[in-house]
Every structure is written in C-alpha cells, then in structure tokens.
Amino acid sequence: MNTPILSVSDLVVSAGRNLQIVRGTSFDIGPGEILGLVGESGCGKSMTSLAAMGLLPHGIGVTGGKILLNGADITHLAPHQRVKQGCGRIAMVFQEPMTSLNPVLRIGDQIKEAVRVHDRTASPPARARELLDMVRIPDAAHQLDAFPHELSGGMRQRVMIAIALACRPAVLIADEPTTALDVTVQRQVLGLIRELCDSLDMGVLFITHDLGVVAQLADRVAVMYAGGLVETGDVVPLFAAPLHPYTAGLMACLPDPTSDDPLLPTIPGSAPRPDEIKDGCPFAPRCSRVQDRCRRGPVPVAFNDLGQSARCHFPLNHEVPA
Amino acid sequence: MLRYVIRRTGAAIMTLIAASIVIFAFIHLIPGDPVYVMLGDGATPDQVAALRARLGLDEPVVLQYLIWAGNALQGDLGHSVFFETPVTQVIADGAETSILLATMTMVWIVGFGIPVGVLAAMRQGRWVDQGLSGLAMLLASVPTFWVGLYLILIFAAGLGWFPSSGYPSIFEEGGLANLRYLVLPSIALAAPNAALILRLTRASMLDVAREDYVRTARAKGISPTRVVVRHILRNALLAVVSAFGFTFAALISEAVVTETVFALPGVGRTVVQSILRRDYPVIQGVILIIVCLYLVINLLVDLSYRMLDPRVELE
Amino acid sequence: MIRQLHALVGPVLARPLTALGAAFLMLIVLGAVFAPLIAPFPPDAIDPVNRLLPPGGAHLMGTDHFGRDTFSRVVYGARLALLIGVGVVAFALASGVPIGVLSALYPRLGRVLMRMVDVLMSFPSLLLALGLIVILGQGVFNAILAIGLIYLTTTARIVYGVALRLRAEPYVEAARSMGAGTWWVVTRHILPNMISPLMVQASFVFAFAQLGAAALDFLGLGAPPDVPSWGNMLAESRIYITRASWLLLWPGLMIVLTAFSLNLVGDWLRDRMDPRFRDMVRK
C-alpha cells in the first residue's frame, strides 16, 4: 500500500469521563482505496467515523490516540477549524438522506454553501452544477433550484455526495449511505461511490453492517466488535478464510441460497454494551473456541502471510504461534 | 396553495359566523329585560320603547340576528347607550392607543424574547440558560397588572422617568414624544408573552439543533455562527411564527387589564367600562371586532408559515 | 428503609426548586385549612386608628386603609385561592374530559363538538370570561365558571388529541377487534392512560386560574369586594401604592409564588410523562 492519507491510531472515544465506546482502534486508508468498516449496530463504528470527521455529539470526545489526514493531526479539530488550518479535505455522507438536507433551503444553495467554504477561486453556481454532473444527477442546472422534498431518496443521497465532494476530499467517509434506500437505487449509489473513488483517487471509509455490500465494494475490510477491531485484511482472502471466530460467525449468518436448512445460523448471546465489557476478549462469552486465557489480560494480534490480522488467541485456519 | 388559501379562509369565515351568533345571543342570555338593565330603574316608558325599537328587540330573534349581522357587514355596529354615539366611533376613539400599545409590545416581545431565547439555547445547561429559563417561567407566573403597578411605583412615582397613566394622542400636542406614555404599559404587557416566546424559541432551537441536516451543515466546515443563523435559527423560527396567533390572543386579554391599570383610553378599557355601565352594544361590537382581528391574524400567521416552509406545498 | 428514604430524597435533590415549590404549595394548603388558628386578627376586623401601618409589631405585614391586618387577610386569601383553583380544575376536567373522549370515539359528534370548541377559542380568554360574568353576574362561583370555561376548551382539545392517539394504539385496536365494548375501552384503556397528561394540564390550569381570578378581581368583576382575596387586596391597594407599598407586595407575592410553584410542579410532571403526549400539553 502507498503512504496512507487517513491514518487512525489507537483511537479511544469516551462518553463522559470513563465509559469507552471505541477502545483503541487503528486503521489506515490509502488513495483510491475503499476500507469497509463492518460491525453490528452499537459496536462503535459510527462513533469512529464521527470522530474522524470531528463531529462527535456533545458529551462524547476523543480521549486517546491520533487521527492524521495527509500527516496533519486533525484529532481534536471540528470541521470549520480544519478548513481554517488547511486540512479540511475530508467529508462525510450520512445514513439518512431524507433528513440530512435542510428542508427549507434549495439544494443549489446547500451545495454552494460548501463550495464557498472550500473553494474560494471557483464560481459557486458553476461548481455546483459541475458537482451535480459528477454525481450523475440529470438536468443539473434545473435541479439546483429544487427543494429536498422534491427529490427521491436516491437523488438526495447523490446531492449529499455532491456536497461532500465540494471540498475535493482526499478521504470520503460514508456511514451506511445506502441502508435507507431501495435495493436497485442502492446498487447505483454504490457504483457511483466506487467510480468517484477511482476517478478522484480518493480514499473511502465505508461503514456498514452489510457484509454483502462490503464484499462487492471494498478493497479492504475491518471488522469491529464491542468498540475494538477484531480483524482486518484484504477483502478476497478475508472472505475466503476469516481468522477471527466473530468474523466467521458473521459470514455464517449470511443466507446461503444453496442450503436446505430453512433456519439461518445465529451467534448465541448478544454483543455487550460498552459498560459491560470486562477484561480479556470481549467476544469470549459468545465464542465457540473460547479457552480460559481468553477471559484474562490483553489478547495478542495474529497475522498471516496474506496481510490478514486478527485479535485472537486461537484464530481459525492458522497455526497458533508458539 | 390557492386551494389551501380558499379552504382556510372559508373555515375562518365559518368560525366568524358561529362566533357572531354567540356574541349576538349574549344579549339574550342576560337575565331580565336588557333594556331595563341598560337604562336603569328610573327609565320612562318612552325611553324604554325607544331603545327597544332601536335595538330591534320586538322582531323575531332570527330576524334580529340577520339585521344585526347585516348592519355589521355594512360597518354599522349600533349605538352606544352610554355615549349615544355609533359603536364604531367609540371603537375608533380607542383604536390609536390600543394599536400603538400592541405594536410597541410586539417590539419588546420579538426584540427580547427571540434573541434571549437563542442565547439560552446556545448556552444550554449552563448557568446563563438556567437563570434565563427560570426567569422566563417566573415572568409567566406574574399577573400583568402587578408588574404594571410596580413599574408605576418605581419608574413613574419613584424615579419620575415615565408618566404613570393616561395617553394623549400623538396627533395632539407633544407629538411622537407622547409615546413615552406607552413605555411602561407595553413593558408590563410584554413581560409574560416575551417569556413565553423566549421559552418557545429556546425549546425550538434545541429541537432543530438535533436534526441531521444541522450535522450535515457542520460537516461542510462552515463557521458555527453560520450554522446557528442559517440552519438552526431559520428552521426554529418557523415554530415561533406559528405561536404568534396565540400570543396575539393573550395580548388582547392582558391589554384589557393593562389599559385599566395605566388608565389608557384604549379599546380594552372601553370594554371594562362598558361592562360596568351595562352598555351592551359596545361590548358586542368590540368583541366582534376583536374576534375578527384574531381570525385574520391567525389566518395570516398560518399562510405565512406555509410560505416560509416549502414542504407544505405538497400536502 | 434507607432505600425508601433515598426514593424520597433523590428527586428533591435532583430538582431543588421544584421541591421548594411543592413545599410552598403544602404551606398554602395548611394556611387555608388552619387560617383561623394562624391569623392573629379576623380578616375583616376594621381598626381606623391603625390605618396603613407599615410592617412590624403586632401587624407582621402592616395594615390596609381600613386598619385590617394584611397578614391575616393574606392567610385567609389562601382559602379563596384554593377554592378558585380546585373549582376551575374540577370544572375544566368534568366538562373537558367527556367532550374530548366522546369526540374521539364518535367522529361525527366530534366534528360538531370540536368546531364549537374552536369557536369558543376564537374569543380571547379574558373577554370570554368577562362575557360570562356579564351574563351570570359577579361572584366567586361565577368567577370559577367563567375561568373554567376558558380551560374547558384547552382541556377538551388535549383530551381529544390524546384519546385519538390512544384509540389508534395497536392494543386498543386489538381489544376492539375482539369485541370489547366502548365503555370497556374507555375505562380500561383510554382513561387510565390519560391520567398523566391530565395531571400536567391540571397543574397548569390551577396556576393560570390564579392569574385569571386575580385579573377579574382587579377589574372589580371577580370575588365581591368584602371577600379577602389576593386579587381584591391588590385592587384596593392601588390608590395607596406610593404611601403603603407593602400592600402591593404581599398579596402579589402570594399569587406569583403560587402560580410559579404550580408551573414548576407541572413542568416536573410533564418531564416525567410519556413523551408521545408531551407536545400536546401546551402551556
């Protein structure tokens, strides 16, 4: 991989003084690369993305680790401070296209607002039209005058992407951008993200709970459980042979049309809430391979030759290091 | 939009007709013969007969209503029994005072309630917010006339900054300087309503601040001030605008009391005096005008709300 | 035991101002009940020699223009304040609840009833009350009816809104589909779920009844002048405010503190209630 453009190391996000929601997460994203961050709801993946964007809600903050964008430390900067310090080339697309646009402003004005902040040389109307063209909105000049409620969900999400592209982002964060959309529209939006990633040589952090989407879209995958990364790796080897029992469990939960068994397998139990996590591996209570030492002390990271790594004492398909 | 305007106006007219029936029925609900009540026990039979004829009380009730409503539509609200002048004249005499008082009060309400509400919301949970919110609730619990009496005690009787009562027209000697007579009354009248608008602005700002599109605006990297003004405040004010019809109604109720406290020659004091004088045509006329005004203002508030919010066109 | 104590002390520490308000309301109730024991003078004892005495000595809060003891009158005024509050709330609930529930259950009747409520609401509240006073005549009972009429409308609106929403709840639909009668649905499902919004509404109505009654008294259209109500005391003190400002202070303070305490308690109740109905109970 080239030098990373977004580098997150040992990120800790806490609510209040000592409730850790994200506990020591690290990952890198290179130009033109899509990293799929996968996990169940409540595992901390959205908080990781909001921390990277500098948009953590009131009362929640980064209490450890570093976030670097092209080498610049943006850990504790809000978006407007990043712009002021010349490190604002990171943008985000949110989950709910229906509520993420201001209902009383025309979409052209909402795009131009972003253009004016990031691009003092460009003519806002011309650039806004160019951005709508980039996200494949037909009849862009006309659509600039539309209000959000006049557009469909898929169109609104394209507008959101256009707003995000206004800063010519080096990194685009997409937090479940297609979850609220119909399947056909979902495919189009995913295709658009892939295309923009390649043509603009932009890094993408793609957050989702949908393994199918990841398999289709991502170059690399990071699996998150209970606030920490349990496994990372390139998409093909990781899907072929997961190392961590949790990743394997997630994949087993995907429906298999060739199977005769009418019931999908499930992982027993449920993910712990942040205040329930104890010492040792957080997945231990639900793990089929659990041993005594999983419940105590830090868990080492196991690697294999394909660049995959997992935080596990007893990884699958892997010789246990002596 | 046009269809909505027509439908909404139609509903307001229906309400006005129903209200006019209530107002008309009022004179017939008074126990005893209204003519004797109005004229007192010393009235001569001639006087009684004359007033009875003038009020049309000898006709059947339905016809009486139609005559009264028909006259009202032509701008004739009858004659005052006390002043012996047209009711419209009595109302016109009080209109200048009441309109200026209401306008000045609205200036305080908007100029104080909204900015301070915004300030409280931006300092949510801190002592500024808690202090202002507590103050707002306290102000909403204070009788206007009590505030008025204290304002008189302190700023008129004590410091002598403002006159304590009365109001000479701005068209008479003194001109616009006569507006100083309305400063204390308008503050007393504004206090509870400004408190209400303050609370509403604050709550509405906090509601909007939680919206997804505010997060989108922040993500763009625009300045926090711009986020507040362009994205939060603008949407929050929609809810505040829709409360102004209600505020206006509260204002009229309290103006009746305030005008009495400060002895202002307005429509509100006319109502109270007409009640004490049993001058029923004036009471009916004033209430009819006020209900009309209230319905028109509510209609305008509703329509402007719809113009400010592009979403409703679809509904 | 300790846990019970904690359950009692916890909320008090969480909202000290509301606790103070509740304590003040208790004080008002006690004052009203034991007025003859607390008041050092009969409220209407005239003493022309000791007119307009400032606070101090035998007259804790001074005396008025007839030499009547202000403190004693303030204590007896609590009786009237309670009477007005309880009366108005009772009238508003007894009329507003049936109107609201019936309107929600029978849409055709509801259209008519709610239209009538709308018409009443198009009158500014104090003018509505004054109109009723003109018809009924002056008096404490009529003042209660007149102010009650104002809050009949708001209460009916709230009850209607809540009942409509409850009627559409899946468990109510289920009960109806299994043949539950209207009476059963109302007593088992609608009324019990309405208690908390009604308690919030009752505390706000109680508070605003105090302000409304004071305004009527002040205009000389409320309680008869010989009744020691806080509003009457303020109305009488008006001409003496420069000479005897204490006459303005005490009764006014009682009205403000009573209304403020009720508002605090109402807010507290509202914060505790079902969030679905919170927006419906406006002030």
Side-chain angles (χ1 to χ4, degrees), chain B residues 142-161:
Chain B
V142 178
T144 29
F145 64 87
W146 196 58
V147 178
L149 290 173
Y150 262 105
L151 289 176
I152 292 176
L153 188 63
I154 296 168
F155 295 102
L159 298 168
W161 290 356

Side-chain angles (χ1 to χ4, degrees), chain C residues 145-224:
Chain C
L145 284 186
I147 301 169
L149 183 66
I150 303 172
Y151 294 105
L152 177 162
T153 57
T154 51
T155 309
R157 272 255 182 103
I158 290 167
V159 170
Y160 178 62
V162 175
L164 269 191
R165 180 128 3 146
L166 284 173
R167 218 176 70 109
E169 292 277 300
Y171 62 87
V172 177
E173 294 260 337
R176 285 159 65 92
S177 70
M178 288 189 292
T182 305
W183 181 248
W184 173 272
V185 168
V186 169
T187 54
R188 280 301 170 111
H189 294 301
I190 295 191
L191 290 183
N193 278 301
M194 210 171 261
I195 289 174
S196 74
L198 284 181
M199 283 190 30
V200 176
Q201 167 74 354
S203 51
F204 291 147
V205 168
F206 208 117
F208 287 98
Q210 301 303 320
L211 302 182
L216 286 183
D217 287 353
F218 184 78
L219 296 175
L221 294 164

Side-chain angles (χ1 to χ4, degrees), chain A residues 17-35:
Chain A
R17 198 143 296 166
N18 40 25
L19 183 63
Q20 294 191 350
I21 306 172
V22 177
R23 32 185 74 222
T25 295
S26 306
F27 56 83
D28 292 331
I29 300 176
E33 177 187 59
I34 298 183
L35 174 69

Side-chain angles (χ1 to χ4, degrees), chain C:
Chain C
M1 178 63 198
I2 286 174
R3 179 169 296 177
Q4 282 167 344
L5 205 67
H6 188 78
L8 208 68
V9 175
V12 172
L13 293 180
R15 294 178 88 139
L17 201 58
T18 308
L20 270 179
F24 180 79
L25 293 176
M26 297 275 279
L27 210 66
I28 295 285
V29 173
L30 290 178
V33 173
F34 298 109
L37 299 177
I38 298 168
F41 297 89
D44 45 5
I46 292 172
D47 181 5
V49 181
N50 292 316
R51 296 175 73 237
L52 299 176
L53 282 186
H59 299 286
L60 203 58
M61 296 178 180
T63 61
D64 70 3
H65 55 296
F66 288 127
R68 294 176 296 194
D69 180 50
T70 306
F71 176 66
S72 303
R73 289 176 74 75
V74 163
V75 172
Y76 273 90
R79 289 193 158 181
L80 204 77
L82 273 191
L83 180 66
I84 294 267
V86 171
V88 168
V89 167
F91 180 82
L93 293 185
S95 55
V97 173
I99 292 177
V101 171
L102 286 176
S103 299
L105 288 178
Y106 305 105
R108 203 170 289 184
L109 177 69
R111 262 200 294 280
V112 178
L113 288 179
M114 283 299 127
R115 196 82 217 148
M116 285 161 73
V117 166
D118 279 350
V119 170
L120 284 184
M121 284 185 112
S122 67
F123 293 92
S125 54
L126 193 65
L127 291 185
L128 191 64
L130 288 177
L132 211 62
I133 295 281
V134 172
I135 295 170
L136 300 171
Q138 193 183 352
V140 173
F141 185 68
N142 293 343
I144 291 176
L145 284 186
I147 301 169
L149 183 66
I150 303 172
Y151 294 105
L152 177 162
T153 57
T154 51
T155 309
R157 272 255 182 103
I158 290 167
V159 170
Y160 178 62
V162 175
L164 269 191
R165 180 128 3 146
L166 284 173
R167 218 176 70 109
E169 292 277 300
Y171 62 87
V172 177
E173 294 260 337
R176 285 159 65 92
S177 70
M178 288 189 292
T182 305
W183 181 248
W184 173 272
V185 168
V186 169
T187 54
R188 280 301 170 111
H189 294 301
I190 295 191
L191 290 183
N193 278 301
M194 210 171 261
I195 289 174
S196 74
L198 284 181
M199 283 190 30
V200 176
Q201 167 74 354
S203 51
F204 291 147
V205 168
F206 208 117
F208 287 98
Q210 301 303 320
L211 302 182
L216 286 183
D217 287 353
F218 184 78
L219 296 175
L221 294 164
D226 54 315
V227 175
S229 77
W230 297 332
N232 276 347
M233 294 174 73
L234 286 178
E236 289 163 10
S237 74
R238 199 180 146 195
I239 7 177
Y240 305 101
I241 54 171
T242 46
R243 269 199 287 165
S245 57
W246 62 89
L247 290 179
L248 184 60
L249 178 65
W250 300 113
L253 210 57
M254 294 304 280
I255 297 174
V256 172
L257 290 180
T258 308
F260 186 49
S261 302
L262 285 160
N263 275 329
L264 285 171
V265 171
D267 257 23
W268 173 67
L269 287 172
R270 179 167 53 183
D271 289 350
R272 283 167 52 102
M273 74 189 269
D274 190 333
R276 283 176 307 164
F277 302 129
R278 212 172 280 159
D279 292 344
M280 295 187 183
V281 189
R282 196 184 51 180
K283 284 183 65 178

Side-chain angles (χ1 to χ4, degrees), chain A residues 86-98:
Chain A
C87 46
R89 290 186 59 201
I90 178 166
M92 186 156 175
V93 178
F94 300 95
Q95 180 172 358
E96 269 301 329
M98 304 316 256

